[in-house]
Amino acid sequence: QVQLVESGGGLVQAGGSLRLSCAASGRTFSSYAVGWFRQAPGKEREFVSAISRIGSSTNYADSVKGRFAISRDNVKNTLYLQMNTLKPEDTAVYYCAAGKAYDSGDYYYPNTYDYWGQGTQVTVSS
């Protein structure tokens, strides 16, 4: 069992930056691939980024590539998402998720993940 708690969301102007964190409970954090998804009002949840167990492999949605950076600290049991050059279309609730997938090609799909946080709101004003 893994419990995930996101933090770091907020209101920022376009072009600004935010750093999201996701704290995981338990001693098995390093056995999970972890990722970030987001959901804007009236839209489906979409993949943002994911990282493999030891951080050797990362995936990004095309919409955030070059602006966002995912990382993890398996000692602190924490996942991060550094978001730079934010745009109004990045406004959404951001969720972290953990799953046992071994194929990075599966990281893009929500049903790959077994555990989810409750989300943190990110609002980017124009």
Side-chain angles (χ1 to χ4, degrees):
Q1 190 83 0
V2 177
Q3 291 186 325
L4 304 170
V5 180
E6 302 96 336
S7 62
L11 174 64
V12 64
Q13 288 189 332
S17 298
L18 282 174
R19 188 193 196 202
L20 304 184
S21 298
C22 174
S25 65
R27 296 180 292 175
T28 60
F29 179 67
S30 60
S31 66
Y32 292 90
V34 285
W36 291 97
F37 286 75
R38 66 187 182 187
Q39 188 166 17
K43 295 189 176 181
E44 292 188 355
R45 190 168 297 191
E46 65 172 0
F47 172 80
V48 176
S49 183
I51 189 167
S52 61
R53 286 160 178 74
I54 60 171
S56 57
S57 174
T58 58
N59 297 39
Y60 294 94
D62 288 343
S63 58
V64 307
K65 207 170 288 184
R67 300 188 298 122
F68 290 11
I70 191 170
S71 61
R72 66 187 297 167
D73 185 330
N74 286 344
V75 174
K76 295 182 178 179
N77 284 1
T78 303
L79 172 69
Y80 303 100
L81 185 68
Q82 178 67 44
M83 305 187 296
N84 299 324
T85 320
L86 282 160
K87 304 176 181 180
E89 52 264 42
D90 294 319
T91 295
V93 178
Y94 283 71
Y95 299 89
C96 64
K100 289 283 191 176
Y102 287 89
D103 185 343
S104 62
D106 292 332
Y107 292 173
Y108 297 94
Y109 307 107
N111 60 10
T112 292
Y113 298 86
D114 302 306
Y115 303 103
W116 292 83
Q118 70 270 56
T120 185
Q121 176 71 47
V122 172
T123 303
V124 184
S125 64
S126 57

